[in-house]
Amino acid sequence: MKKIQKDDRRLSGVDWLLILLVAILALAALSLWGWSTRREEAILTFEYTVLLENLPLRGEGERQAWDFILTGGEVYNQNGTALLGRVSEYRVVDHKEMRLVDGEARAEVVPDRRDVWIRIRAEGVSKIGDGVRISDVRIAAGMRGDFRLGNYDAKGARVLWVEEVPS
Amino acid sequence: MKKEKKGSLFDVFVISFLLLSILGASLRWQQLSASPSEERFVECILLTRATGLHTDTALCIAEGDELYTAAGEYYGRITAKEVRALGVRLVEDGALFEGVWEDTWCDVRLGISVRGIQQGDAFLKGGRERLLGGQSLTLYTQRAALALEILDFSVGSA
């Protein structure tokens, strides 16, 4: 009695054929999926510019906001999970606002405010339709983001410009 | 004595798998055949505006760039680009003053070519999504993220 039950559990030739068919189909699907996702991806070196606007000028002897941004310093996302590149240079410039001067609206320098331009060099993945990404963070000109720039907490910084550069 | 052959649990699994695959494929086929035919598709040019862009950002946008949604779906192609100085209005003592930002901030107007079908006065992008004047769109090129407003659209031929 026990022997008959054991025989019933054995796989027949048809079973093995079906196993082979399913395995071939699964392999074909996996390789097609892998090929289609990989073929459009490219790892590239790129630079992007971030603008910090309207930073108040602090008093004599106090550290300015841009003193916390170091050339060569690491740039992270807000929660520190993705390295978004390194600061290659930064520039402090006058902040301008539209003001009324002699009955005319003009862009005027605000004496106690500054803007900071930061250029960042990074490595990421470029994929058609998905733009440039580092980890799962998309970097695109025109977007705003929260960054950690060296030792400075840059919330709502504006990404101005993105370009691929030779590595 | 003739032994009766019984189907194993594995046979049931494989047959179910194949049946489900056939069912899935037939449902997808029905969905595709129900969607509008490509022959009815026409090109539509959207006139859009992105306002308050930095001039550096405007340099990252070019004619011929492909536009994608946030989900990575193809949306259309930029056919024309025009950069204008950003106008600013100030009010002081009830009087309105107008000025422009020079060299820093700008308005960018883009012509975007999309495909869809025309139903009466309405244009349905991809046969599904109705486009309206004044509508906001967030689209991406490879380098830029654009918050656009549809100013006008004109439907052309196939």
Side-chain angles (χ1 to χ4, degrees):
Chain A
M1 194 66 173
K2 271 183 181 174
K3 193 172 186 303
I4 291 169
Q5 279 176 348
K6 198 178 173 186
D7 286 346
D8 282 348
R9 280 203 300 271
R10 270 196 310 196
L11 296 176
S12 68
V14 179
D15 290 336
W16 284 114
L17 259 174
L18 284 169
I19 289 173
L20 193 67
L21 182 70
V22 170
I24 290 169
L25 282 173
L27 274 175
L30 274 174
S31 57
L32 266 176
W33 176 72
W35 175 74
S36 65
T37 50
R38 256 199 302 271
R39 76 193 165 99
E40 292 170 345
E41 278 187 8
I43 294 171
L44 75 160
T45 306
F46 67 103
E47 286 191 342
Y48 59 103
T49 312
V50 167
L51 175 66
L52 303 179
E53 292 170 282
N54 205 10
L55 298 177
L57 200 58
R58 292 179 187 152
E60 195 77 18
E62 289 181 28
R63 285 181 89 179
Q64 304 296 337
W66 48 90
D67 291 336
F68 294 94
I69 304 165
L70 307 168
T71 304
E74 289 174 333
V75 178
Y76 283 91
N77 58 345
Q78 193 64 42
N79 53 14
T81 52
L83 177 64
L84 303 179
R86 284 178 183 276
V87 175
S88 54
E89 65 168 306
Y90 70 91
R91 248 178 335 129
V92 183
V93 296
D94 291 333
H95 176 71
K96 286 184 178 178
E97 275 178 15
M98 268 291 178
R99 289 194 172 166
L100 211 55
V101 183
D102 303 328
E104 200 181 319
R106 264 194 280 171
E108 285 286 305
V109 172
V110 184
D112 58 347
R113 301 273 161 169
R114 296 287 185 273
D115 290 347
V116 186
W117 253 259
I118 304 125
R119 183 175 283 222
I120 299 161
R121 193 177 175 93
E123 271 197 357
V125 169
S126 174
K127 190 176 166 188
I128 294 166
D130 223 14
V132 176
R133 283 178 185 271
I134 307 172
S135 301
D136 58 347
V137 181
R138 186 174 201 154
I139 305 288
M143 64 186 276
R144 281 182 183 272
D146 298 334
F147 295 85
R148 279 191 204 169
L149 293 161
N151 291 325
Y152 188 69
D153 181 24
K155 282 198 179 73
R158 196 191 279 259
V159 179
L160 295 185
W161 174 83
V162 177
E163 191 176 60
E164 187 181 347
V165 293
S167 52
Chain B
M1 197 170 75
K2 194 178 176 183
K3 196 167 72 179
E4 197 179 329
K5 173 89 179 141
K6 287 183 185 170
S8 69
L9 191 63
F10 181 76
D11 288 340
V12 175
F13 168 74
V14 171
I15 289 165
S16 309
F17 173 78
L18 290 174
L19 282 174
L20 280 172
S21 304
I22 292 165
L23 183 69
S26 63
L27 280 173
R28 180 68 184 140
W29 176 256
Q30 275 183 345
Q31 191 189 0
L32 284 175
S33 48
S35 62
S37 156
E38 268 289 321
E39 290 165 15
R40 290 170 56 205
F41 274 50
V42 290
E43 187 189 33
C44 178
I45 300 292
L46 307 179
L47 175 62
T48 62
R49 173 176 64 184
T51 195
L53 255 58
H54 194 274
T55 44
D56 281 0
T57 305
L59 290 174
C60 294
I61 308 161
E63 282 179 29
D65 280 357
E66 290 181 335
L67 290 160
Y68 292 86
T69 64
E73 285 175 12
Y74 178 75
Y75 195 90
R77 184 183 291 273
I78 296 173
T79 55
K81 174 189 158 189
E82 184 193 338
V83 181
R84 297 182 182 185
L86 178 67
V88 177
R89 289 175 176 179
L90 296 174
V91 177
E92 196 168 283
D93 299 331
L96 178 70
F97 299 90
E98 293 186 344
V100 288
W101 276 102
E102 299 288 350
D103 305 329
T104 313
W105 304 104
C106 62
D107 266 352
V108 178
R109 284 169 194 244
L110 299 172
I112 297 172
S113 162
V114 294
R115 287 180 67 75
I117 58 170
Q118 193 168 19
Q119 272 184 357
D121 289 338
F123 179 77
L124 306 178
K125 192 201 156 291
R128 293 183 301 271
E129 181 194 344
R130 182 169 180 170
L131 295 180
L132 305 163
Q135 188 180 335
S136 299
L137 300 170
T138 303
L139 297 173
Y140 295 83
T141 67
Q142 275 299 92
R143 295 170 65 192
L146 302 167
L148 299 165
E149 178 195 358
I150 298 178
L151 299 178
D152 198 1
F153 49 89
S154 62
V155 180
S157 56

